[in-house]
Amino acid sequence: MLAVENPANGQRITTVPDAGPADVDKAVRAAVGAWPAWRVTDRHAALMSCAAVVEEAAPVLAPVLTEEQGKPLREAEAEFTRAAARFRYFAGLRIEPRVVGQAEVHRRPLGPVAAITPWNFPVQLAVAKLAPAFAAGNTVVLKPSPHTPLTTLHLGRMLAEVLPPGVLTVLTGQDPLGEHLVTHPGIRKINFTGSVATGKHVAAAAAADLKRLTLELGGNDPAIILPCADTALLAEKLFWSAFANCGQICMAIKRVYAVGSAYDGVVEALAALATEVVVGDGRTPGTRIGPVNNRPQYDRVIGLTEEARSDGARLVTGGRLDGPGYFFAPAILAEAHDGMRVVTEEQFGPVLPIVRCSTVDEAVGLANATKFGLCGSVWGTDEERAADVAMRLEGGTVWVNEHLAMSLDEPFAGSKWSGLGVSGGVWGIEGNTEPFVVHRPAGAR
């Protein structure tokens, strides 16, 4: 059995099954067996039922999510709200055949999909994989992170009750469970969200069987603050774009490049917010930032912060908090520079380095000088100028005067090492299908 821990106190909550190769084989065989009927079913009603299940589960499972993941209860509830909306969105999305000359181009489902999710958004990211896969006509075997398996396991059992047998199976466990799933010959596509290192391993393991891939990998998202920016006005948006979910969001701001006169104002404004924010147990009313989810990540955040300080960065506010649990007050690191690991690597936690830049060109160059390419943002009162600068950033999504905002019907993809494939909207369904072309004789229509 696999133990589930509460990051607010380090205590064990319960245990869940630790699945092995035999469990993987059973789940994949069930998915293979269910696929022929599922792919030709009108799936609208099933996805709408899934949405209703998610909404009904929220009052019971949101506290469970908070307990195992650490996030404040209102953020856990928001995950369920977003997940239900995603099921409804994909229930109404259809991909019609396209006519190209005498050919009809259809989209056909791939078959059984392996969905592997991380610990930062267990519900939201699970449904982000399930909904388009189901809508396309695929069956799914879902493996949540071993750090946050409990909510997903409960929700998966509830969803399975409104789906045909074998369409969804949730397998919990630790490594090498993911590898057994990725390499199983019955799986035709892998949809993985996680680190770059693990994503590369998944891609290599999947290559032997030429499985299709969607990899949503890490981001080291830059925010450029232009000299014209009103730092007092933008500070709150900027702060929560970096520190929501305790900084544990792949598309959150991870590094700030403040140009010229904007620097001092940004440091001061962010530090003021960081000092005031309430850090604590996510189940306690008033908590705005919960603990880091797990010990390895907590130790990494501490290590990167201390290393930066040793290399000349100034810790304006924040840092490790005493007591049980993995609590780390949001840290603002002034005088950071691009040689520090906290700048060049994705810290994935509540610490934000701020780099002083003399020119916009310098900021853009530093922002792009990375193997990551997920998201980025530019902030300034002159929105046209900010938009021009944003167009120079290398990434899948950029914003002007905001960050993290994203609708269900737009594509989400990373460039460079931040991923392969596309999620979201019609692209999310197409990524779960392959083209099938039918040629008809001239005059047959």
Side-chain angles (χ1 to χ4, degrees):
M1 300 295 284
L2 175 67
V4 183
E5 182 182 271
N6 182 345
N9 56 27
Q11 299 300 307
R12 190 176 79 169
I13 302 168
T14 187
T15 59
V16 298
D18 190 6
D23 302 294
V24 171
D25 189 61
K26 181 180 178 181
V28 175
R29 288 180 182 275
V32 171
W35 182 53
W38 177 246
R39 66 182 297 190
V40 297
T41 298
D42 182 355
R43 296 172 294 276
H44 172 84
L47 267 70
M48 292 298 288
S49 295
C50 288
V53 165
V54 171
E55 286 183 332
E56 292 167 4
V60 176
L61 292 185
V64 177
L65 177 56
T66 289
E67 189 175 20
E68 71 168 341
Q69 201 282 331
K71 63 185 60 182
L73 181 58
R74 70 180 179 283
E75 292 186 20
E77 293 168 343
E79 272 207 56
F80 282 87
T81 300
R82 180 79 166 177
R86 195 180 298 271
F87 268 129
R88 287 200 172 89
Y89 172 80
F90 279 101
L93 201 57
R94 296 286 187 274
I95 298 182
E96 300 296 335
R98 295 179 58 187
V99 176
V100 182
Q102 297 304 126
E104 293 177 352
V105 183
H106 301 258
R107 304 293 307 194
R108 281 187 164 179
L110 297 168
V113 172
I116 302 174
T117 56
W119 45 260
N120 58 332
F121 286 95
V123 173
Q124 185 165 275
L125 291 177
V127 174
K129 300 181 187 312
L130 295 179
F134 289 163
N138 299 310
T139 54
V140 180
V141 180
L142 170 63
K143 189 200 86 68
S145 165
H147 293 298
T148 54
L150 189 56
T151 309
T152 309
L153 183 61
H154 288 322
L155 183 61
R157 288 168 175 166
M158 297 172 71
L159 291 172
E161 292 180 1
V162 299
L163 295 167
V167 169
L168 171 64
T169 303
V170 176
L171 292 178
T172 58
Q174 54 196 329
D175 293 337
L177 175 59
E179 186 166 355
H180 292 320
L181 187 55
V182 167
T183 57
H184 195 288
I187 293 293
R188 295 311 313 146
K189 175 186 169 70
I190 314 296
N191 193 333
F192 168 84
T193 299
S195 70
V196 171
T198 305
K200 288 182 177 182
H201 184 74
V202 167
D209 198 25
L210 294 179
K211 301 181 193 297
R212 289 3 182 203
L213 288 171
T214 296
L215 303 178
E216 298 178 21
L217 306 180
N220 193 13
D221 294 5
I224 294 176
I225 316 299
L226 301 179
C228 66
D230 185 334
T231 54
L233 189 63
L234 64 83
E236 187 160 0
K237 271 189 179 181
L238 190 67
F239 180 87
W240 288 111
S241 296
F243 292 109
N245 200 37
C246 200
Q248 299 166 137
I249 305 177
C250 62
M251 52 194 283
I253 293 172
K254 306 295 195 332
R255 50 198 170 116
V256 173
Y257 297 100
V259 182
S261 59
Y263 182 85
D264 290 336
V266 168
V267 171
E268 181 180 345
L270 290 178
L273 289 168
T275 302
E276 296 171 358
V277 72
V278 177
V279 179
D281 191 321
R283 297 168 296 181
T284 302
T287 292
R288 298 297 305 276
I289 295 178
V292 176
N293 173 256
N294 57 80
R295 185 69 195 224
Q297 189 61 28
Y298 180 62
D299 290 342
R300 173 175 169 77
V301 169
I302 292 171
L304 288 174
T305 303
E306 292 305 314
E307 184 180 303
R309 293 181 68 186
S310 298
D311 200 19
R314 176 168 58 93
L315 181 63
V316 182
T317 188
R320 180 177 183 174
L321 299 177
D322 293 332
Y326 308 134
F327 292 106
F328 194 97
I332 304 299
L333 282 175
E335 307 305 333
H337 58 77
D338 228 46
M340 297 174 175
R341 284 203 304 142
V342 75
V343 177
T344 60
E345 298 180 13
E346 181 185 25
Q347 70 275 41
F348 212 70
V351 53
L352 184 64
I354 304 177
V355 178
R356 187 193 302 269
C357 296
S358 299
T359 66
V360 172
D361 286 346
E362 180 189 6
V364 171
L366 290 173
N368 289 338
T370 174
K371 289 184 170 68
F372 293 100
L374 193 59
C375 303
S377 54
V378 179
W379 305 70
T381 52
D382 185 340
E383 291 192 356
E384 287 302 317
R385 184 188 181 201
D388 288 341
V389 176
M391 290 294 291
R392 298 169 61 188
L393 293 180
E394 297 171 357
T397 301
V398 296
W399 292 273
V400 173
N401 288 335
E402 62 180 349
H403 203 103
L404 296 182
M406 185 166 284
S407 65
L408 294 174
D409 56 0
E410 64 185 271
F412 181 63
S415 62
K416 297 190 273 189
W417 280 12
S418 286
L420 296 173
V422 186
S423 301
V426 67
W427 298 271
I429 293 186
E430 289 183 344
N432 280 278
T433 63
E434 57 191 1
F436 176 68
V437 182
V438 178
H439 286 269
R440 294 178 180 269
R445 293 184 183 281

